[in-house]
Each structure stands twice: as structure tokens, then as C-alpha cells.
Amino acid sequence: MTPLVRSVRSADTLTRDALTVLQPGFTGTTAPDWLLRRLGEGLASVGLFGRNVADPAQLSSLTEQLRAEREDVLVAVDEEGGDVTRLEVRGGSSFPGNHALGAVDDTTLTREVARELGRRLADCGINLNWAPSADVNSNPANPVIGVRSFGADPQLVARHTAAYVDGLQSAGVAACTKHFPGHGDTAVDSHHDLPHIAADLATLQERELVPFRAAVAAGTRAVMSAHILLPALDGERPATLSPAALHGLLRAPAAEGGLGFDGLIVTDGMEMQAISATYGIERGSVLAIAAGADAICVGGGLADEDTVLRLRDALVRAVHDGELPESRLADAAARVRALARWTRSASAGEGAAPAPGIGLTAARRALRLTADGRYEPLTAPAYVAAFTPLANIAVGDDTPWGVAAELARLLPGTETATCTAESAAAGPAALIDDLLTAAGNRRVVAVVRDVHRHPWMAEALRTLLAARPDTAVVEMGVPQSPPRGAPHIATHGAARVCGRAAAEALTGLTPANGGEHLRAP
């Protein structure tokens, strides 16, 4: 009988470990019964998304519900601030994103912003944040990183990544620095396909890896892997599934050219096409754990019990079939539990003092205004033309952006029109004629987002400025194109506070570019 008892215990432990390494999502603003049941069986992490958040009170009740089932559960969220927000998915973020903080280049400010964001997360019961993005924005055509990066200079990105990690974790929330080993030099979105980075190892060491080394030195508790193929590391498998990338580079000691990271390695979402379309999520999850990952992020798109059971069973089966060493799965589960212990001890501290205005302060400081001579501020209702690109999946299309709402608050009667690639299909002349007819005698404010990446947007803007040279231009993406407009304002992001800062500058109500008020001469 003794061997049979040992076998049952071993099977139970194996199943619990397989559940422990999953970070699934769910639908709704309360936890479903199946999720609570799996928490009792070993599930140790839950990922929250915008669909799970109504307001802070509801979010706090939800996390209390999860902790009533498992006190040490890791509750994770993708809250970068800026363009990528889950806490304020329907209203826009109270914090500018990384690109704005990099534009200011004040690490004390970055630390304070991250600390306040962490404090708000902790107040709602969230203890793991899938942030910050440590990607170096080295490819201007990047469709998924852009303003999520602190900038194009590795050293700047490194110092702000470290400051962000320090600020967030000082509030008791574990940082998960992403997307290792760097998603900045891609022209493909890994939500849709598998990006390739052709950089050699020396370039990776001098560019992509610099911020991740800084994050490890700053004590980041977790690192998220990227679904990108880097032949310099592994010509066959993307980083998430590559032992060379995870075990051989991220975990390897510094003396061997690695980063010496000993915390939790989390995968990016496994249902992203870069993995699911090539390997499938079950096979991909097995390969990821075998390669050195410790936690499987899934739930952005697949958010049901069946997904959890499929992945649990795939991991257990892989151990039985000899594809995945049981010791590797046990080690991964142990790292998840170790992070849970850290969050409990960190949250037991004194907590961070509130700094409710720090996000707007940062957004105002990030504003960059270019004008020929003195700018005549808006004093009457304007007409806002929002040139709107297709949102990437990380940002989503549920979060409002732009300056129209904030400008209408300051100048009641301001109206807005949305212009898309589809509406520009008949040609820029027709689009702009219709827009100017609707605007009438009102000043036009053109709002663009990464105009350098969208030829239709650039052509429409040129046509508009030729017809109405007094048009003000607000760039809310990466300000890569030469500034044009009367004036041109770069916000370095599309968070709600960035829109407010731009609206204030357009009306001459607040300092811009370090303190000079914008007023009529």
C-alpha cells in the first residue's frame, strides 16, 4: 500500500504545481465559482484585465473575494499607465506613460510616478504589475512598443527602468520588467505574428539588454519574456520558449555574460499569435516551462476554465511523458510561491504616502511645444480633428484618447470629428474639405498619433495645413516627424493627463516647456 500512497501524493503535488505556474484570466467583475475552486486546488495567480474593472471599490471587493479563498494569491494586472491602462480603461490614465517620463528625464519624477501608481494598485489589492516596459525604442516603425518605451537611448531607458522598478516596489507591488530580451527593434506586433530581430549578440548586449541589467540590479521581482525570434541567441525558438534566452542568458551569472536574474520569469500572453499559431498554447506552455519560464500568462483572449484545465493537464502529461522534468516544474512553482511571500511581507509595511497630482505634473513637464513666434491661444470653441489609427491589442480600443474632452471642458462648445484610414480612402482632399466645412470659422486642432507610421495620416495633415496654416497640431504618439502646425505640441503619449496638459497649453492656461506661459502677445 505504501507505494500506492506515495504515487497518489506525487500526482496531487504535480497537479498543484501545474496549477501554481498558471496566471489565467476570467470574464466579469466578480470571480466565477470555477476560479475560486481552482484557487483551493493550487492555482496561485490571477490576471486582471480591463473587462474585470469597473471602479476602485469594485476592484477591491474582487481582490478580497480572491484572497478569502487563498490569502497569498498573486493578483496581476497590465497597468503601465499612459496608453496601456486597466485601472482606468474607460476614462484614460491619470499617469503619463514611459515615453513622457523619458522625455522629462528626471528619475526622481519617474520613481514618484511609479510609487503613486503602485500605491493605487496596492489599495485595490493588486500585488503584481506586468510593468515596466524596458524596451529600447530603436525601430521607429515599431507598431506595438512606441510610447510604451522610455526612449531610444539604452542608458536613458536603463535609468528610468530602474527608477520605475524601485518606485513601484516601494509601494509593495512587484514589478515585472518586460519584454525580455527587448521588443523595441521590431516592425511586427507579436500579438499577430512572430517578429524577428536580426541584431547580433554584441548589439543586444550594448542596446537591448542594458535596461534589463539595470532592472535586475534594481531588484525587479519578475521579468516577462517576449515572443520574438533572435537568431543571435536561438535560430529556432522565440525567446519565451528558448533555453538559450531564459536559462542561458537571463539566469546565467554575469561572469558568463548573463544577467544573473533569480526571480520569477513570466511569459507574455500565450494566446498571442506568435506562440499559439505556431506551437499551440499547450505545447507552447510546456516548452516555456522547460526553457526556464516559471509562470504562464494566459487570459487576455482565452479566459475560461477549459483553458486552465487544458494547460494544467498538458504540463502534467509532459512530466509523465518525460518531456518536462518534474524538478523544473517544481522549481517554477516554488518561485511563484516565493514571490507571493514577498508581496505579503512588502504589503505589511507602512505604505506609500499619496501623491494624487504627480501624474498631471509629469504630463505637463513632458509637453514640448514648437511654434514660430508667439502662439495665439484658443479663447473660443475649437474644432478637433482626431486622426485615429487602428489601436494595437496591448492598448486596446476601449480607452478614450485625445484632447477633445479636455478642450471642451475649458472651451465649452468645442466639437470633434474622428478621421480614420477608411474615411481617408477617397483621398485627403475630400476628407479635408468635409472637415473644414464642418469646422466653419472655428480654429482647427489636429490630433495625430505616430504620424510618421501612417502615410494616410501624414498626407491628410499636409493637406489640412496647406488649407489652414493656423491649425494647431497635437502629436500624441512618438514625435518622430518634423514638427508642423501653429503650434505643434508633442505630448509623448495619449493618457488622459497628456490630453489635459495639451488642452491647457492650447488655451494658454498652464506653463509649457519648463514654465513659459502661452499667452497672446
Side-chain angles (χ1 to χ4, degrees):
M1 294 297 293
T2 301
L4 179 60
V5 172
R6 285 177 180 171
S7 175
V8 170
R9 285 179 179 171
S10 176
D12 181 65
T13 298
L14 183 59
T15 301
R16 293 188 71 86
D17 284 351
L19 280 171
T20 297
V21 302
L22 303 181
Q23 290 189 350
F26 62 94
T27 58
T29 53
T30 58
D33 289 342
W34 70 261
L35 183 68
L36 299 176
R37 186 168 63 253
R38 300 305 170 190
L39 285 172
E41 295 174 1
L43 188 67
S45 308
V46 175
L48 301 183
F49 298 84
R51 62 177 179 248
N52 306 123
V53 180
D55 54 56
Q58 168 269 326
L59 185 54
S60 295
S61 296
L62 171 57
T63 58
E64 288 172 5
Q65 185 186 15
L66 296 173
R67 289 202 168 83
E69 192 63 45
R70 179 170 184 148
E71 188 177 4
D72 65 345
V73 64
L74 286 170
V75 183
V77 73
D78 193 2
E79 183 60 46
E80 299 177 17
D83 291 29
V84 179
T85 179
R86 308 302 179 228
L87 284 186
E88 300 178 276
V89 64
R90 290 166 190 85
S93 181
S94 300
F95 303 92
N98 286 2
H99 207 57
L101 296 173
V104 179
D105 196 13
D106 178 346
T107 54
T108 298
L109 178 67
T110 295
R111 187 176 295 107
E112 290 173 352
V113 167
R115 182 177 175 85
E116 173 61 13
L117 189 149
R119 185 192 67 79
R120 295 192 194 183
L121 290 172
D123 278 355
C124 293
I126 293 167
N127 53 13
L128 173 60
N129 190 9
W130 294 319
S133 168
D135 305 296
V136 178
N137 201 31
S138 52
N139 187 340
N142 196 311
V144 68
I145 301 300
V147 294
R148 301 168 66 195
S149 167
F150 289 111
D153 175 16
Q155 296 299 330
L156 179 145
V157 176
R159 59 180 174 265
H160 287 279
T161 296
Y164 197 106
V165 167
D166 182 55
L168 189 65
Q169 294 188 165
S170 71
V173 176
C176 183
T177 305
K178 61 189 183 185
H179 307 81
F180 181 84
H183 208 310
D185 190 20
T186 64
V188 172
D189 184 346
S190 53
H191 291 90
H192 302 298
D193 206 345
L194 178 61
H196 291 61
I197 293 182
D200 58 24
L201 188 56
T203 300
L204 293 177
Q205 292 284 4
E206 295 169 3
R207 189 178 65 188
E208 273 75 15
L209 297 180
V210 173
F212 289 97
R213 291 188 188 280
V216 172
T220 187
R221 293 287 162 173
V223 169
M224 178 176 282
S225 65
H227 306 328
I228 55 178
L229 188 68
L230 297 98
L233 293 175
D234 188 325
E236 182 179 340
R237 291 180 178 172
T240 293
L241 313 183
S242 170
L246 301 186
H247 180 73
L249 182 60
L250 185 52
R251 291 275 190 229
E256 298 175 14
L259 276 67
F261 178 63
D262 195 39
L264 189 76
I265 299 177
V266 182
T267 72
D268 207 344
M270 295 302 285
E271 62 267 62
M272 293 164 63
Q273 291 296 299
I275 299 295
S276 62
T278 305
Y279 299 90
I281 61 168
E282 294 99 327
R283 177 68 176 159
S285 296
V286 170
L287 292 174
I289 297 295
D294 306 306
I296 301 295
C297 178
V298 65
L302 299 172
D304 52 40
E305 182 178 23
D306 181 61
T307 298
V308 172
L309 297 181
R310 284 165 57 198
L311 296 186
R312 180 201 66 184
D313 294 347
L315 292 168
V316 170
R317 187 165 55 250
V319 170
H320 286 313
D321 292 346
E323 292 183 76
L324 175 64
E326 186 171 2
S327 60
R328 171 76 275 271
L329 181 60
D331 173 63
R335 290 180 187 276
V336 173
R337 296 178 189 120
L339 181 58
R341 287 194 298 273
W342 178 87
T343 60
R344 291 185 68 187
S345 63
S347 64
E350 191 172 296
I358 192 66
L360 182 57
T361 296
R364 287 170 174 163
R365 290 183 63 187
L367 218 63
R368 296 293 179 267
L369 182 141
T370 304
D372 294 329
R374 299 290 290 180
Y375 162 60
E376 185 76 28
L378 297 172
T379 57
Y383 193 80
V384 178
F387 294 92
T388 305
L390 184 67
N392 70 58
I393 292 176
V395 174
D397 54 12
D398 293 331
T399 304
W401 69 284
V403 303
E406 292 294 336
L407 201 55
R409 182 178 60 85
L410 297 174
L411 299 174
T414 292
E415 295 181 352
T416 185
T418 299
C419 308
T420 65
E422 185 177 2
S423 62
L431 174 66
I432 300 308
D433 282 348
D434 290 346
L435 189 153
L436 293 180
T437 298
N441 295 326
R442 289 173 288 184
R443 285 279 299 279
V444 177
V445 177
V447 184
V448 296
R449 201 169 180 176
D450 291 338
V451 69
H452 66 282
R453 291 200 303 109
H454 304 286
W456 71 267
M457 190 185 300
E459 185 59 32
L461 182 61
R462 279 193 294 269
T463 305
L464 173 59
L465 289 170
R468 290 282 293 269
D470 65 341
T471 296
V473 178
V474 181
E475 169 62 87
M476 303 195 79
V478 178
Q480 189 77 24
S481 294
R484 302 181 64 196
H488 179 278
I489 295 174
T491 61
H492 299 91
R496 176 174 53 82
V497 285
C498 295
R500 177 172 173 180
E504 291 171 341
L506 287 167
T507 54
L509 297 179
T510 60
N513 286 353
E516 179 186 357
H517 281 266
L518 303 178
R519 292 177 179 161

